């Protein structure tokens, strides 16, 4: 079971003088249970790509398969609702899409549309609020507009989680959050992943991707420039530079130390491994590393 993108092209306003080739020959596989990170400069095609994952946009050319179902073929007709349930997309700044009078009503909107019973809807609202550490009792009757920015965003995301998607796709979910809100939020996403949810996360933060993603792609001018584990991708700083995305700060530190003559590996991404590696390299060089 997986999301498969096969040789997908997408052109906005095809045929008009302002047409824009937003995706060109994109191939991608997201296996069930995986955490995929997507990075790339502004305008590289990230948001366009993820909107293909649940059929919001249809490829100009190529195919998108969700658990084997080709979403552009006739066979998918009538199954679009099922598909949208399977693949939940959280858009950038989702809090701007809140519109109901209370938090509970807002989160209920999706599951209610699925035709679930009142009891089931209520249960799902409760569960998804708990998952995001939103207190059901105190918040459910409040207006979403009275909440803080971070909480509003969580309410919007709870609305997507309440549909119980198998694949959760997030477009720059931490943009505009303060460092604490960001950290807390990413931990919650990581927890959903540990519980078995497949995550696709677009982020402009290489540090976040380095910490959480198992696989990643780097987009550059409508194409996939690099693809692999974060370790594989970050070992090519020149390509990343050319794609306008840079490397995570810890990788930068290792590269800098190497430039200065310290014999360290530069393909590590975890803080604890990096610390051990630097201490090892210093010890190997001789002298007392703590002086
Ligand atoms: N609705 C649209 N109409 C026309 N062009 C668009 C539209 N949305 C995006 N584009 C263009 O498609 C390209 C990719 O955009 P987008 O997918 O939003 O990139 P990213 O999310 O990486 O910033 C850009 O050149 C952008 O200007
Ligand atoms: Mg975008």
């Amino acid at each position: 079971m997986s999301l498969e993108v096969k040789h997908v092209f997408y052109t906005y306003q095809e045929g008009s003088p302002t047409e824009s080739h937003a995706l060109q020959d994109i191939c991608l596989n997201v296996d069930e249970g995986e955490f995929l990170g997507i990075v790339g400069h502004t305008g590289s095609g990230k948001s366009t790509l993820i909107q293909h994952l649940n059929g919001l946009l249809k490829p100009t050319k190529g195919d998108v398969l969700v658990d084997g179902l080709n979403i552009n073929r006739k066979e998918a007709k009538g199954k679009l609702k099922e598909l949208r349930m399977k693949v939940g997309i959280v858009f950038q700044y989702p809090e701007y899409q809140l519109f109901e009078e209370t938090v509970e009503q807002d989160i209920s909107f999706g599951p209610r549309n699925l035709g679930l019973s009142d009891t089931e809807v209520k249960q799902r609202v409760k569960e998804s609020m708990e998952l995001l550490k939103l207190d059901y009792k105190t918040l459910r009757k409040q207006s979403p507009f009275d909440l803080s920015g971070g909480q509003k965003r969580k309410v919007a995301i709870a609305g997507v989680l309440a549909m119980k998607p198998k694949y959760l796709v997030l477009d720059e979910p931490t943009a505009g959050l303060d460092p604490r809100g960001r950290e807390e939020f990413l931990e919650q996403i990581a927890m959903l992943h540990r519980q078995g949810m497949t995550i696709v996360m677009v982020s402009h933060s290489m540090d976040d991707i380095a910490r959480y993603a198992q696989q990643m792609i780097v987009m550059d001018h409508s194409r996939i420039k690099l693809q692999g584990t974060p370790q594989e991708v970050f070992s090519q700083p020149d390509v990343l530079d050319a794609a306008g995305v840079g490397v995570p700060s810890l990788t930068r530190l290792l590269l800098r130390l190497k430039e200065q003559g310290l014999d360290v590996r530069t393909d590590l991404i975890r803080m604890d491994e990096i610390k051990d590696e630097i201490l090892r390299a210093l010890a190997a060089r001789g002298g007392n590393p703590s002086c």
Side-chain angles (χ1 to χ4, degrees):
M1 293 289 135
S2 61
L3 299 175
E4 293 166 83
V5 176
K6 294 183 170 175
H7 299 289
V8 162
F9 291 72
Y10 187 78
T11 307
Y12 286 103
Q13 281 121 26
E14 201 181 12
S16 88
T18 54
E19 74 175 8
S20 155
H21 301 286
L23 297 178
Q24 295 188 63
D25 205 9
I26 301 292
C27 293
L28 180 66
N29 236 331
V30 190
D31 289 331
E32 211 178 312
E34 194 171 282
F35 194 132
L36 173 85
I38 302 180
V39 299
H41 62 80
T42 301
S44 58
K46 306 179 297 293
S47 298
T48 306
L49 171 59
I50 62 167
Q51 289 177 70
H52 279 76
L53 300 179
N54 76 347
L56 269 178
L57 293 178
K58 298 256 156 64
T60 308
K61 205 171 118 191
D63 295 297
V64 177
L65 283 80
V66 176
D67 291 344
L69 181 75
N70 191 324
I71 64 174
N72 314 312
R73 297 266 163 84
K74 277 202 196 100
E75 68 200 52
K77 272 217 167 127
K79 291 195 175 168
L80 223 59
K81 198 163 163 180
E82 191 186 313
L83 216 134
R84 299 249 157 95
M85 259 169 74
K86 240 185 206 180
V87 186
I89 299 195
V90 177
F91 293 102
Q92 206 173 350
Y93 296 106
E95 56 273 26
Y96 294 136
Q97 287 162 33
L98 299 171
F99 65 99
E100 294 277 10
E101 270 171 39
T102 70
V103 165
E104 182 161 35
Q105 283 168 0
D106 220 301
I107 302 174
S108 302
F109 182 79
R112 189 149 297 179
N113 262 353
L114 296 177
L116 301 171
S117 72
D118 285 354
T119 331
E120 173 72 14
V121 170
K122 196 168 175 166
Q123 185 57 29
R124 285 193 177 199
V125 171
K126 248 171 129 168
E127 270 176 28
S128 52
M129 285 182 75
E130 274 162 17
L131 272 174
L132 294 168
K133 300 209 171 68
L134 289 166
D135 189 58
Y136 178 73
K137 269 200 185 133
T138 53
L139 292 178
R140 71 186 184 102
K141 291 278 177 221
Q142 284 196 36
S143 160
F145 302 102
D146 292 340
L147 305 178
S148 71
Q151 274 182 324
K152 271 186 202 157
R153 186 166 302 182
K154 284 187 185 175
V155 169
I157 295 172
V160 175
L161 289 180
M163 313 274 278
K164 294 209 171 171
K166 185 168 155 192
Y167 301 97
L168 180 65
V169 183
L170 303 140
D171 198 352
E172 310 225 10
T174 58
L177 294 183
D178 61 35
R180 209 173 121 236
R182 195 171 124 175
E183 194 67 17
E184 192 190 300
F185 179 78
L186 286 170
E187 275 308 318
Q188 276 154 4
I189 300 299
M191 189 192 67
L192 291 173
H193 178 236
R194 284 194 293 273
Q195 290 173 352
M197 200 175 272
T198 309
I199 310 283
V200 176
M201 184 171 88
V202 173
S203 175
H204 58 269
S205 162
M206 295 297 261
D207 291 329
D208 292 348
I209 297 292
R211 275 177 62 193
Y212 295 102
Q214 297 164 320
Q215 288 287 322
M216 67 180 287
I217 61 171
V218 179
M219 296 203 56
D220 182 19
H221 293 100
S222 322
R223 294 178 186 274
I224 293 181
K225 186 84 176 192
L226 284 174
Q227 193 161 10
T229 63
Q231 210 159 359
E232 286 162 355
V233 168
F234 296 145
S235 66
Q236 304 193 58
D238 297 343
V239 185
L240 289 169
D241 250 3
V245 290
V247 293
S249 37
L250 286 170
T251 308
R252 238 187 346 259
L253 169 71
L254 289 171
L255 291 167
R256 195 71 206 278
L257 288 170
K258 186 145 188 132
E259 255 173 46
Q260 304 283 317
L262 190 68
D263 187 19
V264 280
R265 283 174 58 182
T266 56
D267 61 343
L268 301 173
I269 50 175
R270 291 207 352 244
M271 177 75 109
D272 51 342
E273 290 174 339
I274 289 172
K275 189 187 90 199
D276 289 349
E277 174 64 3
I278 294 174
L279 290 173
R280 185 206 55 73
L282 285 171
R285 198 166 73 163
N288 182 349
S290 56
C291 302

